[in-house]
Amino acid sequence: MDYDVVVAGGGPVGLMLACELRLGGARVAVLERLTEVNPTIKGGAITTPSAEALYRRGMLPALAEVQRQAMDRFQAFMRERNEGDGDGDRDGDGDRAAGQGLGFVGHFAGIMLRADLVDRTEPGLGDAGPAAEIALVAQQDIERLLGGRADELGVDVRRGVELTGFDADEGAVTVRTSDGAIRAGWLVGCDGGRSTVRKLAGFEFPGTDPEVTCHQAVVEMTGTEDLKVGWTATDTGVYAYGPMPGRVVTVEFDGPPADRDAPVTPEDLQARLRRVSGVDVTVTEVRTATRFTDHARQVTDYRKGRVLLAGDAAHVHSAFGSQGLSLGIGDAMNLGWKLAAVIAGRAPEGLLNTYTAERHPVGAWVLDWTRSQVAAMRPDPQSRALREIVSDLAETVTGTTYLAARLNGAAVRYELPGEHPLTGSSTPDLELTDGGRLADHLHGGRALLLDLTDDPELRALAAGYAGRVDTLTAGCPSRPELAAVLVRPDGFTAWAADAGAPTPTAGLAEALEEWFGVPEGAVTPG
């Protein structure tokens, strides 16, 4: 066997998955047809769960530096804008374009959500620690950071190599590439919305057809004085200007493009921007541009035998709300530790069934949220009436908190066994008496049993999982009601107990075995 896993696709999702697999001890090759990071403009922000995932792997300082540079570019854009019109931020939209960093936490269909209206006591919105400060990080920057991490971990990233086919049997997968054949135990398609792996494997891919044509670009243009910064709905569609110099988005409800792959020309962008905005801008140069639609599709199962899918290969939807990249990162975090455990024999193959069970509902939810945003962007009278109602709700604490929690992924929760409120949710980034935070103890990609009451019985139950589950005894003054938390490698709570519970260890042995196999020295029936 050449590798344990071949990952098709070297974008952020494929690289994140490869890094997680390596942390779990798997031998991994990544096939990427492009020879370098694609400079085409893509996602410009990440949600808190993605920042949290990277933070838990020790990448927070790098993310913070990338965000600082992005904020510098935004501020330069706003200075130039204000100097150009001589009237400051006259439309009041300057802050909103910067997103979270300057008073806003995102948008729903271009309706900006004010940070001061978010109730931070809502689960998931106030307990992510420093990761909650990270948002303005572009997809290309994530890919570069993860590429460097993959190199550090010893992932074999093969750029300029394309998957051309594969044959899967009960024991392995033979992957055919432009550089020869590779034999591996598993194949994971992270090769985007037009996934070759998905098509060749025959995954069902139901969903809804597109009704809009969208363009996102970074351009050089003149006549921008009357363009509003941020998102603006008009009688002919929706457009966005900023938060970076020359960045524009147009949304038109004239059906899908006749040819999605046709070059995006300055003339085409200029005509569309004029039509939607009503401003006679002149586009003189296109630096980078992409065309997309709102088609929304999802495979019915994320696994077929030894072939699995993650990211856009498993689900596609419009870019509204910046949820696509983060949804894929979540897939990679969920799958990586499970597949590595199965490969190493630390867990039975049935553990992989939980991948679809946990991630498919999250993907379906994101698809519906992007569909709902399209509905609120349509220019017809009924949809504009709906938009006004949503806008009114977004001016309330309850409405903004609801929208922010769901768009940001804070509402993601897996249906896991157990009654504790934390079970199935992303574990809060607890401040510990050892001087660190919970995320500081998750860099190695292993599970963690956090003992907050110095209970030897807890540690005894975890003793048979050395190498699979780390154990840490520390205090957490800010959460005195907690006695212990079992954190999965992806950062989600597998089990928790409160101080003063009649049986503090109740359910722990079952949770350990459910997720991490039988303990060392255990006698299995047979």
Side-chain angles (χ1 to χ4, degrees):
M1 201 82 69
D2 299 316
Y3 296 93
D4 295 313
V5 186
V6 167
V7 176
V13 176
L15 291 171
M16 187 76 191
L17 175 63
C19 290
E20 291 300 293
L21 288 166
R22 278 298 300 144
L23 286 176
R27 298 169 299 136
V28 189
V30 175
L31 310 180
E32 173 51 57
R33 63 181 181 81
L34 299 179
T35 57
E36 57 187 19
V37 176
N38 187 348
T40 302
I41 185 170
K42 295 181 180 177
I46 58 175
T47 61
T48 298
S50 283
E52 216 172 14
L54 297 166
Y55 167 42
R56 286 166 172 161
R57 297 301 184 254
M59 300 177 68
L60 184 68
L63 289 175
E65 174 58 22
V66 169
Q67 176 165 273
R68 184 195 64 76
Q69 295 172 10
M71 289 300 299
D72 287 347
R73 292 191 295 272
F74 167 76
Q75 289 163 357
F77 166 66
M78 289 308 302
R79 284 194 299 270
E80 180 182 340
R81 170 77 177 177
N82 293 340
E83 290 168 2
D85 63 31
D87 190 26
D89 184 20
R90 59 183 177 175
D91 54 41
D93 288 333
D95 282 358
R96 70 180 58 184
Q100 184 170 338
L102 290 180
F104 290 82
V105 292
H107 72 88
F108 177 88
I111 300 166
M112 304 309 296
L113 307 175
R114 287 167 41 191
D116 64 335
L117 291 178
V118 177
D119 179 1
R120 296 292 175 180
T121 64
E122 179 79 8
L125 286 177
D127 49 18
E133 303 301 318
I134 302 296
L136 206 59
V137 181
Q139 180 166 328
Q140 286 92 342
D141 292 319
I142 296 290
E143 186 172 335
R144 292 187 185 97
L145 292 175
L146 287 172
R149 179 168 172 79
D151 288 341
E152 294 172 1
L153 292 174
V155 175
D156 184 5
V157 179
R158 301 188 180 188
R159 286 198 166 272
V161 177
E162 187 172 3
L163 180 146
T164 58
F166 63 86
D167 297 300
D169 55 43
E170 290 186 2
V173 182
T174 300
V175 181
R176 298 187 295 279
T177 81
S178 57
D179 194 39
I182 302 173
R183 186 78 166 162
W186 301 83
L187 169 64
V188 185
C190 300
D191 49 344
R194 306 184 191 186
S195 170
T196 298
V197 174
R198 184 186 68 235
K199 294 173 183 176
L200 292 178
F203 283 87
E204 295 180 40
F205 200 43
T208 51
D209 294 330
E211 62 176 88
V212 305
T213 294
C214 309
H215 288 81
Q216 180 175 211
V218 176
V219 302
E220 292 285 345
M221 60 182 172
T222 59
T224 62
E225 293 81 8
D226 290 327
L227 281 181
K228 291 184 178 180
V229 174
W231 288 84
T232 303
T234 72
D235 291 339
T236 52
V238 178
Y239 77 92
Y241 179 39
M244 302 306 170
R247 185 257 189 174
V248 293
V249 178
T250 62
V251 184
E252 296 178 276
F253 289 82
D254 54 356
D259 182 2
R260 280 191 60 189
D261 298 320
V264 180
T265 65
E267 295 77 15
D268 186 28
L269 276 176
Q270 176 179 290
R272 292 179 179 277
L273 188 53
R274 286 182 175 185
R275 189 161 56 242
V276 176
S277 70
V279 179
D280 286 334
V281 297
T282 299
V283 176
T284 57
E285 180 186 350
V286 177
R287 292 184 177 179
T288 175
T290 185
R291 180 186 291 111
F292 63 95
T293 72
D294 62 323
H295 70 142
R297 298 186 179 279
Q298 182 183 25
V299 294
T300 54
D301 196 316
Y302 287 17
R303 177 191 175 195
K304 289 190 72 173
R306 290 187 168 268
V307 180
L308 301 105
L309 302 176
D312 288 351
H315 37 70
V316 295
H317 54 84
S318 71
F320 304 129
S322 300
Q323 297 180 89
L325 172 60
S326 296
L327 181 60
I329 293 292
D331 291 346
M333 288 292 288
N334 189 284
L335 175 61
W337 70 273
K338 295 174 181 177
L339 183 53
V342 169
I343 290 167
R346 297 189 296 267
E349 191 171 317
L351 179 63
L352 293 178
N353 295 334
T354 66
Y355 173 49
T356 295
E358 292 177 0
R359 293 305 296 174
H360 191 280
V362 181
W365 168 67
V366 169
L367 262 64
D368 277 346
W369 270 73
T370 58
R371 291 181 181 115
S372 68
Q373 291 184 77
V374 171
M377 296 172 109
R378 293 188 186 113
D380 61 87
Q382 293 87 347
S383 298
R384 285 300 154 89
L386 170 65
R387 185 180 185 85
E388 287 300 316
I389 293 172
V390 176
S391 297
D392 287 345
L393 289 171
E395 289 298 319
T396 68
V397 171
T398 301
T400 293
T401 302
Y402 173 80
L403 292 169
R406 280 146 185 82
L407 286 169
N408 194 40
V412 171
R413 187 183 185 91
Y414 302 142
E415 294 297 326
L416 306 187
E419 301 298 325
H420 195 278
L422 287 181
T423 302
S425 63
S426 181
T427 309
D429 189 40
L430 304 173
E431 293 185 74
L432 305 174
T433 52
D434 68 350
R437 305 183 71 105
L438 177 68
D440 299 326
H441 300 279
L442 300 176
H443 293 182
R446 290 182 299 277
L448 175 70
L449 177 61
L450 181 60
D451 171 17
L452 297 171
T453 58
D454 195 10
D455 186 340
E457 187 177 351
L458 286 171
R459 298 193 295 275
L461 285 172
Y465 291 89
R468 286 175 278 176
V469 179
D470 294 339
T471 302
L472 173 67
T473 299
C476 181
S478 65
R479 297 292 296 268
E481 80 281 7
L482 282 178
V485 184
L486 177 61
V487 187
R488 301 192 324 187
D490 58 359
F492 278 74
T493 302
W495 170 90
D498 284 336
T503 311
T505 61
L508 176 58
E510 291 79 4
L512 286 164
E513 188 167 341
E514 171 78 15
W515 299 109
F516 311 113
V518 297
E520 289 292 329
V523 178
T524 57

